[in-house]
Amino acid sequence: MSRPLRVLLVEDNPDDQELVERELRRGGFEVHCHRVQSAEELRAALEPGAWDVILSDYCLPGFDAPSALGIVRDSGLDIPFIVVSGSVGEFEGVEVMKAGARDYFPKTLLTRLPVAVAREVDEARLRHERARAERDRALLARAGEVLAGSLDLQETMDQVARLPVPELADWCAVYYSEDGRHLKVVALAHEDPERVELGFETDRLFPLSPDAPSGPARVFRTGEPQLLTDVPAARLEALARSPEHLRRMLALGLHSVIHVPLVGRMGTLGVVTLGTTGSRPRFHPKDMPVAQELVRRAALTLENARLFRESQEAIRLRDEFLAVAAHELRTPLTTLGLQLSTLVQRARREASADMVERLDKGVRQVRRLGTLVEMLLDVSRLSTGELPLSLEGMDLGELVAEVLERFEAESQAMGCALRLEVARGLVGQWDRMRVEQVVSGMLSNALKFGARQPVEVRVVREGAVARVVVEDRGIGIPEEQLERIFERFGRAVSSRSYGGLGLGLYLARRAAEAHGGRVWAEQRPGGGARFILELPLRARNHAVEEPA
């Protein structure tokens, strides 16, 4: 079976061309030969990937083998160069070998030509394969680093487009579908910014038809990649919708194309198109595996980015709902609380002890609902960026004592005695409502998990800060959950067993940070948990912002 061979022949004698071709065919080659006779013709013929070997006469009119070697070297192409000449001697042969020729011999020994050509073509092929493998490894390694850096959908698509340029392709376009049918160019990469703008503008003016019989639309529908090793002008003419469309497509300068579907876990997200122009060899089937692996990794990253965007949108909608619901609930709860308070006063005047007790329970439940509503409002405020403070001078010990007094009935009902130890003179500038909120959250948590054991509260000074320490002897908190319980909707136990929204400690931490302080939890020696609120004694006018 004959072996295809593409020969670029630097020769001015047609008879010598016939001689060379005949000898190569005898050696088992199916020869495609193109003859050039000048430096200009040689430069014009040096297209990437077009030739397997260059055979050159030593001396042509106004041109010679060393000059031809210089032109090939300047082109940057790795093509074996062999000198075949009737006038080449040992001196000339040594000179051309120094200049970069792979071999030389006189035309009287043309029987050596097939063996020399086969050897050099095989060595060049191995060099190219090693270079391609190294390029592919480096590209995929860089893809792993780059794609792991962002969860923003548009930024990720831009990175996907930039990754293969210029190592693998001259062009890269990312087509994405929002509706599962139509494709739109969402990212483009080329070393020339003007061509990038041309590509975007062409897509805007001539969007892809979802029923197109070939190209990205077909690949999106079928999920099968497509390799076009050659993109002739006749193909573009058949696809063009107008002369202007054809002009724009020709201006992109595409010589060969690879289309690969972006396939995620739930289906095809879009298509990545790679293209070459005249600056590199046309795509080969050996380029498909690295293109597919690159797009596979890109698809996983894009799907993660898309899911992240959807989750962020869901969170935004949830926070929006919480804010609206809290505002809507606040008014009827306030009205209900006032009505119940009026009924309590009336029941007391009428000396109806049973009615007073029942109404008091109702008032407490309304207050509890009001607290939950205020917590939801605080969460919505934090979602928009700020938790405002209204600072005033106060004694921290007195404030904590007032909070404990409000929790007296609840502590008796839960069988947890409250014990308070207060250092005097801890006066500072704080937001009364927010500090009460933090202390209430700590106390509520201690009573809930206190296992009917005493809860100890201490208010102490530690240098330039004041501390409120709340200790219980309950079920305790696992080490790995000590931070999680301060997250929004975070909890260390099942909500079915203990209830609650998982917002109290989250808001406590954010309120403490708004004052320039902090709040944390730790395991209590001997069992149970210890919560510590730390506040600066010097005022700090500060509003907290929700981290991104």
Side-chain angles (χ1 to χ4, degrees):
M1 184 176 178
S2 59
R3 177 180 177 181
L5 181 70
R6 299 167 300 171
V7 178
L8 180 58
L9 184 64
V10 184
E11 175 63 68
D12 63 331
N13 189 335
D15 294 336
D16 286 347
Q17 177 182 354
E18 177 59 32
L19 199 65
V20 168
E21 289 182 1
R22 183 170 63 245
E23 200 59 48
L24 290 172
R25 282 193 289 269
R26 285 177 180 172
F29 289 104
E30 179 185 337
V31 181
H32 167 68
C33 185
H34 176 66
R35 183 166 62 92
V36 298
Q37 305 178 65
S38 66
E40 292 73 18
E41 290 180 351
L42 176 60
R43 289 192 184 93
L46 287 175
E47 183 180 341
W51 310 109
D52 299 312
V53 66
I54 298 175
L55 304 179
S56 177
D57 195 357
Y58 185 81
C59 187
L60 292 79
F63 192 47
D64 59 15
S67 300
L69 268 167
I71 293 172
V72 175
R73 186 170 56 249
D74 292 342
S75 72
L77 300 176
D78 181 16
I79 307 173
F81 192 103
I82 298 175
V83 176
V84 183
S85 176
S87 61
V88 66
E90 184 174 349
F91 175 79
E92 291 83 0
V94 170
E95 289 301 311
V96 293
M97 291 291 284
K98 287 181 179 178
R102 307 297 299 181
D103 204 349
Y104 75 94
F105 43 85
K107 292 179 180 176
T108 55
L109 298 176
L110 279 182
T111 53
R112 290 180 49 204
L113 187 60
V115 174
V117 167
R119 180 190 69 239
E120 296 303 329
V121 169
D122 288 343
E123 287 185 4
R125 178 179 56 80
L126 288 174
R127 287 196 303 274
H128 294 162
E129 289 181 355
R130 284 195 294 268
R132 179 187 283 114
E134 181 59 32
R135 176 206 66 188
D136 294 350
R137 282 194 296 270
L139 179 59
L140 293 176
R142 188 163 65 89
E145 295 175 3
V146 171
L147 293 176
S150 174
L151 282 174
D152 179 81
L153 187 60
Q154 184 58 53
E155 182 181 341
T156 301
M157 289 188 288
D158 289 337
Q159 289 174 343
V160 170
R162 289 193 295 265
L163 269 172
V165 178
E167 286 84 354
L168 181 61
D170 299 306
W171 273 102
C172 183
V174 178
Y175 294 88
Y176 193 74
S177 176
E178 293 284 355
D179 60 3
R181 175 170 167 77
H182 296 85
L183 288 174
K184 179 183 178 181
V185 174
V186 292
L188 267 178
H190 190 279
E191 291 186 300
D192 183 356
E194 291 185 2
R195 291 203 177 192
V196 171
E197 181 56 35
L198 174 65
F200 276 121
E201 192 176 63
T202 301
D203 183 66
R204 287 194 298 270
L205 294 174
F206 304 97
L208 287 177
S209 168
D211 301 316
S214 63
R218 175 184 175 277
V219 171
F220 183 69
R221 291 196 310 271
T222 64
E224 296 294 327
Q226 185 179 34
L227 166 64
L228 301 174
T229 55
D230 187 52
V231 184
R235 181 182 182 88
L236 297 179
E237 290 172 3
L239 295 173
R241 303 179 197 172
S242 68
E244 173 62 15
H245 191 199
L246 176 61
R247 183 190 70 78
R248 287 175 171 274
M249 287 194 294
L250 290 172
L252 298 177
L254 292 174
H255 283 195
S256 63
V257 171
I258 291 176
H259 302 295
V260 182
L262 272 165
V263 182
R265 300 178 189 89
M266 304 299 291
T268 305
L269 306 173
V271 176
V272 174
T273 295
L274 308 176
T276 68
T277 61
S279 61
R280 70 177 67 242
R282 285 173 166 80
F283 284 128
H284 187 275
K286 291 180 180 179
D287 292 312
M288 282 296 287
V290 67
Q292 288 178 281
E293 177 59 21
L294 181 66
V295 174
R296 184 190 70 82
R297 298 185 184 193
L300 292 176
T301 305
L302 278 173
E303 186 159 66
N304 288 339
R306 180 178 63 82
L307 292 173
F308 178 75
R309 184 180 70 174
E310 290 177 357
S311 69
Q312 292 299 102
E313 177 63 14
I315 290 171
R316 186 190 66 79
L317 291 173
R318 181 199 67 190
D319 290 342
E320 211 172 81
F321 168 78
L322 290 177
V324 172
H327 279 288
E328 291 297 320
L329 288 170
R330 187 189 237 178
T331 300
L333 278 175
T334 301
T335 303
L336 179 59
L338 290 172
Q339 294 295 327
L340 285 174
S341 297
T342 301
L343 289 174
V344 168
Q345 293 173 5
R346 179 176 177 181
R348 284 175 179 161
R349 286 197 303 269
E350 296 174 358
S352 176
D354 180 64
M355 184 64 70
V356 169
E357 182 181 353
R358 290 173 181 272
L359 289 172
D360 275 339
K361 289 180 180 179
V363 170
R364 285 197 296 271
Q365 293 303 316
V366 169
R367 286 174 180 168
R368 183 183 176 196
L369 283 173
T371 300
L372 293 177
V373 168
E374 291 303 321
M375 290 170 70
L376 293 178
L377 280 171
D378 282 343
V379 170
S380 67
R381 290 187 188 107
L382 282 169
S383 298
T384 60
E386 292 187 352
L387 191 64
L389 300 181
S390 179
L391 302 180
E392 60 180 288
M394 69 184 72
D395 186 299
L396 185 60
E398 292 178 2
L399 182 147
V400 173
E402 290 174 8
V403 174
L404 261 67
E405 186 178 342
R406 289 201 296 270
F407 273 84
E408 188 63 36
E410 183 176 343
S411 67
Q412 290 177 3
M414 303 187 77
C416 297
L418 293 177
R419 298 173 182 172
L420 177 61
E421 178 185 334
V422 177
R424 298 188 178 278
L426 292 178
V427 177
Q429 292 283 325
W430 301 300
D431 184 311
R432 175 176 292 275
M433 186 190 75
R434 296 300 176 193
V435 175
E436 286 181 354
Q437 184 181 45
V438 177
V439 177
S440 296
M442 294 163 64
L443 270 175
S444 177
N445 194 78
L447 293 173
K448 184 186 296 185
F449 302 106
R452 307 186 72 82
Q453 297 294 317
V455 173
E456 296 180 355
V457 182
R458 298 191 306 276
V459 184
V460 298
R461 183 185 188 118
E462 294 285 344
V465 299
R467 282 185 178 178
V468 179
V469 182
V470 178
E471 289 187 347
D472 67 67
R473 295 173 173 79
I475 62 175
I477 305 170
E479 183 74 30
E480 66 275 10
Q481 298 288 346
L482 289 173
E483 276 300 310
R484 186 176 182 278
I485 59 175
F486 289 98
E487 295 175 3
R488 185 162 49 169
F489 304 107
R491 54 178 66 249
V493 294
S494 169
S495 59
R496 292 184 179 179
S497 301
Y498 288 92
L501 296 176
L503 290 173
L505 293 178
Y506 165 74
L507 291 171
R509 171 163 285 184
R510 306 310 290 154
E513 291 173 350
H515 284 86
R518 59 191 183 119
V519 64
W520 71 95
E522 55 190 41
Q523 294 175 325
R524 178 182 176 276
R530 178 186 294 132
F531 286 82
I532 302 104
L533 166 64
E534 189 174 88
L535 294 171
L537 288 168
R538 179 174 296 179
R540 179 181 180 184
N541 193 5
H542 181 67
V544 67
E545 292 187 358
E546 181 72 349

